Amino acid sequence: MKKALLMATGAAVAASFSAADAQAVDAKAYGWVNKTLMVYDDGESTEFNIADNDRWSTRFGFKGNEKLKNGLTVGVGIEYEVESNSSFSLTQTNEVTQSSTPASIDATFKQRKAVASIGGNFGAVMLGHTQTATDLVTEMNDMAGVFDVFYSRVESLGGGLFFRDTSNSILSSVSIAKSANNFDGNARKDVIRYDTPWVNGVQGRISAAHGGDIDGSVWYKGDIQDLKVKAALGYTAFGNKK
């Protein structure tokens, strides 16, 4: 039986790139280091740890684009993430304290993005490992201005921490991550994705992933009288699921 997931807040196109086009793209390096001081109190102990902020993790990459003579624009992007003591993974059993060493948290190095794109008046087509059409549907529309430390994915900071039974001070098997879900869409996958141009503040996106998942979403951003509004609606049809 196939399953589907609907998410809300508030044309398959094939593309190929010639070697000459790929060589024309001037890619630039970027990156940042994002560390955080985590402090928690679970009712029995209060501890602090220095961790990598999983919300906007330490990463580096290369990206660039080049406008061709025919009016099209080609782009490339590759990005990697480096995390040690992820703020998502730290728990009371592997915390880093002055009197102990972490039990199991090792530094991770993983690919976040490796994608080529081509765009023009028709919109843009992307091919490679990148965000699906529903990724960030419930996350990027947060307009509070504190996106780096607090947004709808609350488990990014402290998701691995376990709840404690105050009656006997025993840690439960339920973590913050297991008790929270922001109903965001599919994350980064190997996909072919098409984004329409923005028209009157509205954009459509559709992607097909390796494995059969089909994602579609509609995005809106604009002003309604004196209010700035951002909203999105996404739908995922999961493939190869029973």
Side-chain angles (χ1 to χ4, degrees):
M1 180 179 70
K2 289 190 174 181
K3 301 177 182 179
L5 174 65
L6 180 67
M7 298 141 291
T9 60
V13 181
S16 62
F17 306 96
S18 69
D21 290 341
Q23 293 173 358
V25 178
D26 182 17
K28 297 182 179 179
Y30 67 94
W32 54 80
V33 174
N34 194 351
K35 296 289 185 177
T36 185
L37 177 63
M38 285 183 58
V39 181
Y40 75 82
D41 182 349
D42 65 1
E44 181 173 294
S45 61
T46 300
E47 299 289 349
F48 76 91
N49 295 277
I50 298 174
D52 272 292
N53 187 344
D54 189 68
R55 169 58 215 103
W56 208 257
S57 56
T58 297
R59 65 189 68 166
F60 68 93
F62 302 88
K63 62 181 178 180
N65 58 71
E66 188 76 19
K67 191 169 184 178
L68 306 180
K69 294 180 180 179
N70 57 11
L72 298 177
T73 299
V74 295
V76 294
I78 186 168
E79 184 176 281
Y80 287 90
E81 174 185 82
V82 182
E83 277 192 324
S84 61
N85 305 325
S86 168
S87 62
F88 177 85
S89 302
L90 280 171
T91 75
Q92 291 95 324
T93 59
N94 63 17
E95 64 191 10
V96 183
T97 66
Q98 292 180 343
S99 59
S100 64
T101 57
S104 61
I105 298 183
D106 297 319
T108 61
F109 179 80
K110 66 180 181 180
Q111 176 183 278
R112 287 176 49 86
K113 181 186 297 184
V115 62
S117 65
I118 185 168
N121 294 332
F122 61 88
V125 177
M126 286 154 276
L127 183 67
H129 189 77
T130 189
Q131 295 163 322
T132 69
T134 58
D135 188 27
L136 304 180
V137 161
T138 66
E139 296 177 2
M140 286 301 291
N141 290 307
D142 190 333
M143 301 173 66
V146 290
F147 192 69
D148 193 41
V149 293
F150 185 78
Y151 73 124
S152 62
R153 189 170 179 255
V154 296
E155 63 268 30
S156 289
L157 297 175
L161 295 174
F162 294 105
F163 291 99
R164 187 181 293 278
D165 187 339
T166 56
S167 63
N168 53 26
S169 295
I170 296 177
L171 291 175
S172 74
S173 61
V174 179
S175 66
I176 293 175
K178 290 182 178 180
S179 66
N181 192 326
N182 69 350
F183 296 102
D184 195 53
N186 273 324
R188 295 172 298 276
K189 291 187 173 184
D190 293 326
V191 301
I192 180 169
R193 170 177 150 181
Y194 169 64
D195 293 0
T196 71
W198 286 92
V199 179
N200 296 324
V202 177
Q203 184 189 55
R205 303 176 185 178
I206 187 169
S207 64
H210 180 76
D213 290 1
I214 304 295
D215 292 76
S217 59
V218 178
W219 301 68
Y220 173 78
K221 60 181 180 180
D223 297 333
I224 300 179
Q225 294 183 351
D226 295 331
L227 297 176
K228 291 187 178 296
V229 177
K230 294 177 69 177
L233 177 69
Y235 181 85
T236 298
F238 296 109
N240 298 335
K241 299 283 185 179
K242 296 183 179 181

